[in-house]
Amino acid sequence: MKKINFTILCFLLCLCMYNPITTHAKEIGVNQYLTEGYTAEGIHYTIYDVPTSASPTVMSLQRAATQMYVVREIRFDGNVQPPKTWYFAERIGEHIYAGSLSLSIDQVLYGKTIATYKGYLYLVN
């Protein structure tokens, strides 16, 4: 009788201690899509806007910002070495801004290279 009680007690202990491990795949992101294209080597990429909590902007009175701090996430198909700088031009509102962004971090997730670039874009027109 003691063996049966001990076996049941051990079974219940194991059952109580069992904690299923659940893992969640990291989302690649829900950032705003900007554009896509191909590198000179033929590698497809997609560019996304990464919102920043504090984006310093230099403003002129009653005019467009002369420069804007931006963070851009560029996703390349495959495992590639992203360039250290990325020249980028985009329309923000009614104005075009352009500049070179510097590579901040890069990683490979789910067969895509994700590179984050940061820097200032300057008013072109």
Side-chain angles (χ1 to χ4, degrees), residues 40-87:
E41 295 81 20
I43 300 169
H44 180 260
Y45 65 87
T46 310
I47 301 177
Y48 294 89
D49 176 30
V50 178
T52 57
S53 58
S55 45
T57 303
V58 177
M59 297 291 290
S60 301
L61 294 176
Q62 302 298 328
R63 295 177 52 195
T66 56
Q67 65 182 10
M68 296 187 79
Y69 181 78
V70 297
V71 178
R72 298 294 180 251
E73 181 179 274
I74 303 177
R75 301 179 192 167
F76 299 92
D77 288 344
N79 184 357
V80 298
Q81 180 63 44
K84 298 294 181 202
T85 59
W86 187 277
Y87 180 79

Side-chain angles (χ1 to χ4, degrees), residues 26-37:
K26 179 182 175 187
E27 267 189 57
I28 291 183
V30 289
N31 300 325
Q32 180 184 358
Y33 168 83
L34 293 176
T35 188
E36 62 185 293

